[in-house]
Amino acid sequence: MPAPLATPCAPRATNTRAAPSNATIVLDVIAGLTALFSALSYAELAGTIPVAGSSYSYAYATMGELVAWVCGWCLILEYGVSVAAVAVGWGEYLNELLDGTIGVTLPAVLSAPPGDGGIFNLPALIVVLLAMTFLLGGARESARANTIMVVVKIAALVLFCAIGVQGFRSGNYEHFMPLGMAGVSAAGATLFFSYIGFDAASTAGEEAKNAQRDLPRAIMLSLVIVTVLYVLVAAVAVGAKPWRTFTDSEASLAQIMTDVTGQSFWGTLLAFCAVVAIASVVLTVLYGQTRVLFAMSRDGLVPKVFSKVHPKTGAPRANTLIVSLFCGVLAAAIPLGQLADATSIGTLFAFALVNVAVVVLRRTRPDMRRTFRVPLSPVLPALGFGFCVWMMGSLSTVTWVVFGVWMAVGLVFYFGYGQRRSRLATPDPSRVRTHQK
């Protein structure tokens, strides 16, 4: 599904094997466990290496430049496609809101890309540009706006659970796993990108007041809250509506509210909350993308324009403009379809590397100060790595082909550009190597 709030329980089915089912609760639990093991490793590394760049920076500090490039290239895929996918979901709820308030909807020609019945997805472009505007104001201003939107998001999900449970039908849970465990693992891998929020939080290592203390706490707390909410929403949604109907619309939660209450008001209210809340997802993911590119640019692996910051706001303005326009056009003009799964495979690959990185750093730098330590290491990092690999193996052949092509392009770019211009190839004594802080 394009957005965590849009329908966390029912990712869009791109093939039979990955279709959602009654077992959506199991999907969220499996995805949550995979994220949990990786989040523990993230928390340790975020408290040890509090710099921008998330898993890219962690890989750089532990496994070297080439592995870091591969990780960073995965993150670019992860964030870029997910921004576009979430923006598409925002447009669906905007139409639901417009229909419930003024009785009109945007025509398909302006709300869907070519190949999906339209010419240009204008709402998707608009929400990306709105997020861009907040980010250009600086981290503090965008954080304030995001806090308000997150409160709205949580309130909307709690409201949905409170009302949606009234339409619960136990019969909807018959044939709990109709596609078997293979279907569960495939769908779990498909929806996994809904859990990338804590990865985005870790990109803020240089803009947090006390990163070594606050980042580990934020990562673990956000993951627990998100997983609990996803499981609750999944349980209520599938109990209120047969699982096969979730492929019909991106705004399923609002439709359930309307069906359960018999009144359009509640569906419209949820659609309004979703419009606000999904915008926060776009803002967060877009922020993460710009900070990853900022770290890579500072290391010389991508052009320097991505690491130039505005003297007043401290925001990488050129970086933000370039990324926003690219993601906005991607969302508005290109049918995502199965390409959305590329977000999950990029995320899982990056998470797998983080689990390896925490073990490597324990062995190579045992003396480094750690404000959080993964318990039972290396057992839990090994489990995190194994879960990530297992879920990657559940994704479709098309997704693997897309991922393979993307990685091949990345390696060509690295050896043709990044390696020759990197900080390691052209060391500058005046620049502080943040990865070794």
Short mmCIF file of all heavy atoms in Angstrom, two decimals, residues 293-319:
data_model
loop_
_atom_site.label_atom_id
_atom_site.label_comp_id
_atom_site.label_asym_id
_atom_site.label_seq_id
_atom_site.Cartn_x
_atom_site.Cartn_y
_atom_site.Cartn_z
N LEU A 293 21.59 11.84 0.63
CA LEU A 293 22.35 12.45 -0.45
C LEU A 293 23.34 13.48 0.07
O LEU A 293 24.44 13.64 -0.48
CB LEU A 293 21.40 13.08 -1.47
CG LEU A 293 20.71 12.10 -2.43
CD1 LEU A 293 19.61 12.81 -3.20
CD2 LEU A 293 21.72 11.48 -3.39
N PHE A 294 22.96 14.20 1.12
CA PHE A 294 23.86 15.16 1.75
C PHE A 294 25.13 14.47 2.24
O PHE A 294 26.25 14.93 1.98
CB PHE A 294 23.15 15.85 2.92
CG PHE A 294 24.04 16.71 3.76
CD1 PHE A 294 24.31 18.02 3.39
CD2 PHE A 294 24.61 16.23 4.93
CE1 PHE A 294 25.14 18.84 4.16
CE2 PHE A 294 25.45 17.03 5.71
CZ PHE A 294 25.70 18.33 5.32
N ALA A 295 24.95 13.33 2.94
CA ALA A 295 26.11 12.60 3.46
C ALA A 295 26.96 12.04 2.33
O ALA A 295 28.20 12.09 2.39
CB ALA A 295 25.63 11.47 4.39
N MET A 296 26.34 11.51 1.31
CA MET A 296 27.08 10.95 0.18
C MET A 296 27.83 12.04 -0.58
O MET A 296 28.96 11.83 -1.04
CB MET A 296 26.13 10.20 -0.75
CG MET A 296 25.47 8.99 -0.10
SD MET A 296 24.26 8.17 -1.17
CE MET A 296 25.36 7.36 -2.35
N SER A 297 27.22 13.20 -0.69
CA SER A 297 27.86 14.32 -1.38
C SER A 297 29.06 14.83 -0.58
O SER A 297 30.11 15.16 -1.15
CB SER A 297 26.85 15.45 -1.58
OG SER A 297 27.47 16.60 -2.10
N ARG A 298 28.91 14.87 0.72
CA ARG A 298 30.01 15.34 1.56
C ARG A 298 31.22 14.41 1.45
O ARG A 298 32.37 14.83 1.63
CB ARG A 298 29.54 15.43 3.01
CG ARG A 298 30.50 16.13 3.95
CD ARG A 298 29.85 16.41 5.28
NE ARG A 298 29.27 15.20 5.86
CZ ARG A 298 28.56 15.21 6.98
NH1 ARG A 298 28.32 16.35 7.60
NH2 ARG A 298 28.06 14.10 7.47
N ASP A 299 30.96 13.16 1.15
CA ASP A 299 32.05 12.20 0.95
C ASP A 299 32.55 12.17 -0.48
O ASP A 299 33.42 11.36 -0.82
CB ASP A 299 31.59 10.80 1.36
CG ASP A 299 31.39 10.67 2.86
OD1 ASP A 299 32.10 11.35 3.60
OD2 ASP A 299 30.51 9.90 3.28
N GLY A 300 31.96 13.01 -1.34
CA GLY A 300 32.42 13.11 -2.72
C GLY A 300 31.85 12.09 -3.67
O GLY A 300 32.23 12.05 -4.84
N LEU A 301 30.92 11.25 -3.20
CA LEU A 301 30.39 10.17 -4.04
C LEU A 301 29.32 10.63 -5.01
O LEU A 301 29.05 9.97 -6.01
CB LEU A 301 29.86 9.03 -3.17
CG LEU A 301 30.91 8.35 -2.28
CD1 LEU A 301 30.26 7.28 -1.42
CD2 LEU A 301 32.02 7.75 -3.12
N VAL A 302 28.67 11.74 -4.70
CA VAL A 302 27.71 12.36 -5.62
C VAL A 302 28.06 13.85 -5.70
O VAL A 302 28.81 14.35 -4.85
CB VAL A 302 26.24 12.17 -5.15
CG1 VAL A 302 25.86 10.69 -5.15
CG2 VAL A 302 26.00 12.78 -3.79
N PRO A 303 27.57 14.58 -6.69
CA PRO A 303 27.98 15.99 -6.86
C PRO A 303 27.84 16.84 -5.61
O PRO A 303 26.95 16.63 -4.78
CB PRO A 303 27.03 16.46 -7.98
CG PRO A 303 26.78 15.23 -8.78
CD PRO A 303 26.70 14.11 -7.78
N LYS A 304 28.71 17.83 -5.48
CA LYS A 304 28.78 18.68 -4.29
C LYS A 304 27.53 19.52 -4.07
O LYS A 304 27.30 19.99 -2.95
CB LYS A 304 29.99 19.61 -4.40
CG LYS A 304 31.33 18.89 -4.33
CD LYS A 304 32.48 19.87 -4.40
CE LYS A 304 33.83 19.15 -4.32
NZ LYS A 304 34.97 20.11 -4.40
N VAL A 305 26.72 19.71 -5.11
CA VAL A 305 25.53 20.53 -4.96
C VAL A 305 24.60 19.97 -3.89
O VAL A 305 23.85 20.70 -3.24
CB VAL A 305 24.78 20.64 -6.32
CG1 VAL A 305 24.24 19.27 -6.76
CG2 VAL A 305 23.66 21.66 -6.24
N PHE A 306 24.66 18.66 -3.65
CA PHE A 306 23.76 18.04 -2.67
C PHE A 306 24.19 18.30 -1.23
O PHE A 306 23.42 18.01 -0.31
CB PHE A 306 23.66 16.53 -2.93
CG PHE A 306 22.93 16.17 -4.18
CD1 PHE A 306 23.62 15.83 -5.33
CD2 PHE A 306 21.54 16.20 -4.22
CE1 PHE A 306 22.93 15.50 -6.49
CE2 PHE A 306 20.86 15.87 -5.38
CZ PHE A 306 21.56 15.53 -6.53
N SER A 307 25.39 18.82 -1.00
CA SER A 307 25.84 19.07 0.37
C SER A 307 25.96 20.55 0.70
O SER A 307 26.43 20.92 1.79
CB SER A 307 27.19 18.38 0.62
OG SER A 307 28.16 18.80 -0.32
N LYS A 308 25.56 21.41 -0.22
CA LYS A 308 25.59 22.85 0.06
C LYS A 308 24.36 23.24 0.89
O LYS A 308 23.23 22.90 0.54
CB LYS A 308 25.60 23.64 -1.25
CG LYS A 308 26.90 23.47 -2.04
CD LYS A 308 26.87 24.31 -3.32
CE LYS A 308 28.19 24.16 -4.08
NZ LYS A 308 28.19 24.96 -5.34
N VAL A 309 24.58 23.94 2.01
CA VAL A 309 23.49 24.31 2.90
C VAL A 309 23.28 25.82 2.90
O VAL A 309 24.21 26.59 2.67
CB VAL A 309 23.75 23.82 4.34
CG1 VAL A 309 23.86 22.31 4.39
CG2 VAL A 309 25.02 24.46 4.91
N HIS A 310 22.05 26.21 3.18
CA HIS A 310 21.72 27.63 3.24
C HIS A 310 22.27 28.21 4.55
O HIS A 310 22.11 27.59 5.62
CB HIS A 310 20.20 27.82 3.18
CG HIS A 310 19.78 29.24 2.98
ND1 HIS A 310 19.55 30.10 4.04
CD2 HIS A 310 19.56 29.96 1.85
CE1 HIS A 310 19.18 31.28 3.57
NE2 HIS A 310 19.19 31.23 2.25
N PRO A 311 22.91 29.38 4.52
CA PRO A 311 23.55 29.93 5.73
C PRO A 311 22.57 30.24 6.86
O PRO A 311 22.95 30.21 8.03
CB PRO A 311 24.24 31.20 5.22
CG PRO A 311 23.55 31.54 3.94
CD PRO A 311 23.14 30.24 3.34
N LYS A 312 21.31 30.56 6.54
CA LYS A 312 20.35 30.92 7.58
C LYS A 312 19.58 29.72 8.11
O LYS A 312 19.47 29.52 9.32
CB LYS A 312 19.37 31.97 7.05
CG LYS A 312 19.99 33.34 6.80
CD LYS A 312 18.93 34.35 6.38
CE LYS A 312 19.55 35.73 6.18
NZ LYS A 312 18.52 36.74 5.77
N THR A 313 19.03 28.92 7.23
CA THR A 313 18.19 27.80 7.66
C THR A 313 18.98 26.53 7.94
O THR A 313 18.52 25.66 8.67
CB THR A 313 17.14 27.48 6.59
OG1 THR A 313 17.79 27.03 5.39
CG2 THR A 313 16.31 28.71 6.27
N GLY A 314 20.19 26.43 7.36
CA GLY A 314 20.97 25.22 7.52
C GLY A 314 20.47 24.07 6.68
O GLY A 314 20.96 22.95 6.78
N ALA A 315 19.46 24.32 5.85
CA ALA A 315 18.88 23.27 5.02
C ALA A 315 19.64 23.17 3.69
O ALA A 315 20.05 24.20 3.13
CB ALA A 315 17.41 23.57 4.73
N PRO A 316 19.83 21.97 3.17
CA PRO A 316 20.45 21.82 1.85
C PRO A 316 19.44 22.15 0.75
O PRO A 316 18.75 21.27 0.23
CB PRO A 316 20.86 20.34 1.84
CG PRO A 316 19.88 19.66 2.74
CD PRO A 316 19.53 20.67 3.80
N ARG A 317 19.33 23.40 0.41
CA ARG A 317 18.24 23.87 -0.45
C ARG A 317 18.28 23.28 -1.85
O ARG A 317 17.26 22.80 -2.36
CB ARG A 317 18.24 25.40 -0.52
CG ARG A 317 17.72 26.07 0.73
CD ARG A 317 17.31 27.49 0.48
NE ARG A 317 16.54 28.03 1.58
CZ ARG A 317 15.98 29.24 1.59
NH1 ARG A 317 16.14 30.04 0.54
NH2 ARG A 317 15.27 29.64 2.61
N ALA A 318 19.42 23.34 -2.50
CA ALA A 318 19.51 22.80 -3.86
C ALA A 318 19.18 21.31 -3.85
O ALA A 318 18.47 20.80 -4.72
CB ALA A 318 20.90 23.04 -4.43
N ASN A 319 19.70 20.61 -2.87
CA ASN A 319 19.42 19.19 -2.69
C ASN A 319 17.92 18.96 -2.58
O ASN A 319 17.34 18.10 -3.27
CB ASN A 319 20.15 18.73 -1.41
CG ASN A 319 19.95 17.26 -1.10
OD1 ASN A 319 19.07 16.59 -1.63
ND2 ASN A 319 20.76 16.75 -0.19
#
